[in-house]
Amino acid sequence: VAPFLKRAIPETIWSRHVCLVVHPGIVGDRGPSALDWAIADGARDWGVTVLQAEAEMDAGPVWASAGFALRQARKSSLYRNEVTEAAVQAVLAAVDRFAAGDFVPTPLGGDARGRLRPLMGQSERRIDWARDGTAGILAKINAADGFPGVVDHLFGRPCQLFDAWPEASLR
């Protein structure tokens, strides 16, 4: 079981052994910024999928998945809570299915929202302070929680934005 891969499992391994990869996205979702895109797009629900490793990242057959409501929160908080809980649930189901020996994983397919998306870069995170509302700004910052944050300039100085909160009135 490989939790949240950043690089591919070598073919010399996955071609000889069933390797289960935990992906923080709904069935059909692919790419390295799955949760970032879900947060930035304002998804109301999301999930974790356990896939079998193959040559193409996040494209193998599905062994299990688990969903959760996607609350408005920082990415790190979602990982520590909902994503971790869904991952444990999906991994246990996948391991049970593997141990039974008769389960046939399904081809990727999936939710119509699930698709291959690129690494979310700073250009997608860029805040337009004249146009973006509070919810949009918070979604961009929450999706970039931690490193690298959202690269910006405030008061003429370069900075990285993270851990933002809405303010009811400017003080």
Side-chain angles (χ1 to χ4, degrees):
V1 175
F4 310 112
L5 286 181
K6 293 199 178 221
R7 26 174 234 245
I9 295 172
E11 183 177 3
T12 56
I13 296 172
W14 64 256
S15 64
R16 293 184 182 137
H17 308 280
V18 172
C19 298
L20 302 176
V21 177
V22 180
H23 177 70
I26 55 176
V27 174
D29 177 80
R30 298 172 48 218
S33 298
L35 190 57
D36 300 48
W37 285 111
I39 294 167
D41 290 346
R44 294 180 185 267
D45 57 86
W46 202 239
V48 171
T49 305
V50 177
L51 307 134
Q52 187 168 332
E54 288 191 345
E56 191 174 352
M57 290 281 284
D58 304 331
V62 176
W63 280 77
S65 66
F68 56 88
L70 187 61
R71 64 188 164 89
Q72 293 180 354
R74 294 183 314 274
K75 180 172 62 173
S76 59
S77 178
L78 292 165
Y79 266 120
R80 281 191 305 272
N81 295 286
E82 290 88 343
V83 173
T84 297
E85 290 172 19
V88 169
Q89 182 183 350
V91 166
L92 290 175
V95 169
D96 284 347
R97 291 171 177 168
F98 178 81
D102 59 355
F103 179 78
V104 177
T106 57
L108 188 57
D111 189 311
R113 298 173 298 158
R115 63 191 186 278
L116 176 60
R117 297 197 68 176
L119 177 69
M120 182 181 273
Q122 287 299 322
S123 61
E124 291 86 12
R125 301 178 195 278
R126 186 167 293 121
I127 295 172
D128 183 336
W129 293 100
R131 288 188 185 172
D132 291 342
T134 300
I137 291 169
L138 288 175
K140 289 177 181 180
I141 294 173
N142 283 340
D145 181 45
F147 183 81
V150 174
V151 175
D152 207 330
H153 284 80
L154 291 178
F155 310 107
R157 300 184 64 102
C159 61
Q160 291 175 284
L161 308 175
F162 56 93
D163 199 22
W165 295 91
E167 177 59 49
S169 62
L170 186 60
R171 294 184 232 176

